[in-house]
Amino acid sequence: MNSRSIAVLLALGVVSVHGGAEACTLNEIQKADMRLGLCRQQVGIATGYACTTLVMRSQVADQFQQIDLARRCGFNAEAEKLQKFYNETTPLVAKLYECIDTAIDRPTVEKQAKEEVDKALSKLEPGCSSELKEKMAKRLPTLIQIDQKSLREMQTIASQIGLTPN
């Protein structure tokens, strides 16, 4: 989940819900507001029921692409950090999206995202051009900082609304 999505959740008052509650303590108005706020961020995604699956697929594809590009360019340690944050954040995001919308079929979402990324990356020249390597060298520290911040914020949100990952 990106920082912009988390900012929407914070703005919608998710963190005003008190901790210590049972799973998904949001009321129906909060759920609808959050779903609308999250789905409006993504171009081409309607804000109706089950829109969070499409949002998650877009977010997962973006994360997979960054991880794959980092590996392609030899930034394996950075790719592992991005993968670690993905593995820690994604179960919380899936639970949150399930709370405000419908259950996320994570294996299907990840499979579709991976196929999308593989197709996009297959259009690039093999290996890592010097231009791409330079871009990744500049971008990766920022991506890692964003992922660290997103994980902390998702953990806070999850604890405040009673979500625990599967």
Side-chain angles (χ1 to χ4, degrees), residues 1-67:
M1 173 179 259
N2 60 35
S3 289
R4 188 169 154 201
S5 296
I6 293 171
V8 167
L9 298 177
L10 296 171
L12 291 170
V14 173
V15 295
S16 67
V17 179
H18 295 82
E22 296 178 20
C24 195
T25 59
L26 299 173
N27 66 43
E28 292 306 312
I29 293 171
Q30 290 170 313
K31 290 177 184 181
D33 287 348
M34 286 178 62
R35 182 175 53 246
L36 184 66
L38 282 170
C39 294
R40 275 189 176 163
Q41 293 180 55
Q42 301 290 326
V43 175
I45 295 180
T47 58
Y49 194 65
C51 66
T52 55
T53 296
L54 299 174
V55 170
M56 186 163 182
R57 187 174 75 206
S58 174
Q59 291 170 337
V60 168
D62 181 58
Q63 290 175 308
F64 282 179
Q65 184 170 350
Q66 298 307 320
I67 293 166

